[in-house]
Amino acid sequence: MSQDFSYQISPPVLSQGSDRDLGLESTLQELSMYDFQVELSCTAMEVARIFEKYPLLPGAILREQGKFIGMISRRRLLEFWIRPYGKELFFREPLAMLYSYVKIPILQLPETTPILTAMQLTLRRSPELVAEPVVVETAPDSYKLLDISELNLVSWQIRGIETQVRYERSQTQMIQNDKMASLGRLVDGVAHEILDPVSFIWGNLTYVSSYSQDLLKLIAAYDRELSPTSNYISNFKEEIEFDFLEEDLSKALASIRTGAERLKKLVTSLQNFCHIDEVYPKPGDLHACLDSIVLLINSRIQGEIEIVKNYGHLPPVYCFMGQLSQVFMNLFTESIDNLLNEVVRHQLHPENANFKEKPRIEITTKIISQVAVKEQAPDSRWVCICIADNGLGMSLDLQQQIIESFSTEKRVDKATSLAVSYRIITAKHGGKLNLRSQLGKGTEFEILLPLL
């Protein structure tokens, strides 16, 4: 009489995956998986009947007195039975005896594992194990089987999505680059048109100042030679407030000179910021670049934020100055946004003030040697540019998100300004961009550029 093993075998169940579309960050829990539990005391013959009834079933989850033991795949079971006398020796014996011979390493993953990560892990297995199903832990002491063909199919679909996303990003980046280049040329042309009249004003101010002083001296000479002055001239001088005019004329000319000089610097900074880099890097003055960016952002800070410059002695650095200008602008914008947001909160809720001192951005430049960058060659030297603020700082989670956006392996929906800055520093200049932040103490961005 045959023994009834129905209580030792749970009927195979195919769970349905998630209804939502798969994406780059999809996990194993969104896929269809098989739930087939078998006790080791069951015979191999009963398991074979189940496999015959369900031809798509990739294997069975093995348990001993309800405790998870391992997995046996359909492929392993069939390979063992086609051996000489394999079927006669083990067909009616408990599954535990057969499993002791066919036991192999299994790949066991949590259901939260990304699909692409799981695919990479399966391909790292030895060739004889590549076709084995994956054991997925769906809950404590709860396991399901994922068919490797299902994982292959879905991963290739996601790879196609990833390729499409990369293509769309590259197209978007090309369009954006073309727009920025066109805008740069337009702004450069406008700036050049502004510089022409500014240069004309600036060049003639010297002569106007000299001529006005000569005319004032001539009037003083007339006063001395024609003394006493006629009543008409005296009344006219009082009418035009000659004494005040004489005193204020030099001040007005000095103000015009200051304004023209400031406008000239501003337009020059705008030209430098919109500069289109050439194919090869050129030596540039980083301090002049930083000063240009600070001049451009002055309209945003409006005296609310103090800019402190601690410039060291820097030689000309080979770089793409236009791209570095964009990096500096991105980092300054990040700090300014955080500080101004806190200023607004302080103005709306003075009782919850978090600033103990005036909002400040500190710029520090210096040369560092191999002592600070241990993994480099002993004779390496680096230019260090630190942009630090005294804001509230960033949480560890936010810092982790920013650092992950730097990674090329981490797939994000869109590139952030900090991620773009990171790629410019690392890929274009062979440097490093480090982020350090502490809640309540502020945030610091450190740029390291190799000094050739």
Side-chain angles (χ1 to χ4, degrees), residues 4-71:
D4 182 14
F5 292 98
S6 59
Y7 69 94
Q8 295 179 334
I9 302 178
S10 61
V13 177
L14 177 61
S15 63
Q16 296 300 318
S18 174
D19 293 333
R20 71 185 184 91
D21 295 333
L22 295 175
L24 300 180
E25 302 297 332
S26 295
T27 59
L28 296 180
Q29 60 188 344
E30 301 176 42
L31 303 182
S32 300
M33 292 179 284
Y34 291 89
D35 185 4
F36 180 39
Q37 314 284 331
V38 177
E39 285 286 334
L40 283 178
S41 56
C42 178
T43 64
M45 178 178 62
E46 293 297 323
V47 176
R49 289 175 180 174
I50 297 296
F51 283 157
E52 183 179 3
K53 185 177 179 180
Y54 299 92
L56 298 180
L57 190 62
I61 298 293
L62 302 181
R63 292 184 175 275
E64 186 174 19
Q65 297 180 355
K67 184 179 179 181
F68 173 75
I69 297 299
M71 179 273 299

Side-chain angles (χ1 to χ4, degrees), residues 336-353:
I336 289 172
D337 288 343
N338 294 333
L339 291 175
L340 289 182
N341 288 340
E342 185 56 32
V343 168
V344 172
R345 282 194 293 267
H346 172 56
Q347 292 174 348
L348 295 177
H349 305 285
E351 67 280 1
N352 297 329

Side-chain angles (χ1 to χ4, degrees), residues 176-214:
Q176 183 67 18
N177 291 341
D178 185 62
K179 285 182 178 179
M180 291 303 296
S182 300
L183 181 61
R185 287 189 290 269
L186 177 63
V187 172
D188 183 67
V190 172
H192 182 74
E193 291 298 322
I194 295 175
L195 273 180
D196 278 347
V198 169
S199 298
F200 176 77
I201 295 172
W202 177 264
N204 284 283
L205 270 175
T206 303
Y207 301 108
V208 172
S209 178
S210 177
Y211 297 159
S212 63
Q213 293 299 320
D214 290 343

Side-chain angles (χ1 to χ4, degrees), residues 299-311:
S299 60
R300 287 204 61 200
I301 60 180
Q302 298 177 347
E304 296 285 352
I305 301 173
E306 179 185 6
I307 304 293
V308 179
K309 300 176 183 178
N310 298 319
Y311 288 169

Side-chain angles (χ1 to χ4, degrees), residues 365-398:
T365 63
K366 57 185 176 181
I367 300 291
I368 62 174
S369 61
Q370 192 267 338
V371 176
V373 189
K374 296 181 180 179
E375 66 270 20
Q376 300 299 325
D379 58 347
S380 63
R381 293 196 305 159
W382 296 71
V383 172
C384 176
I385 305 106
C386 291
I387 299 174
D389 63 63
N390 63 340
L392 295 182
M394 301 179 184
S395 64
L396 292 177
D397 291 339
L398 180 56

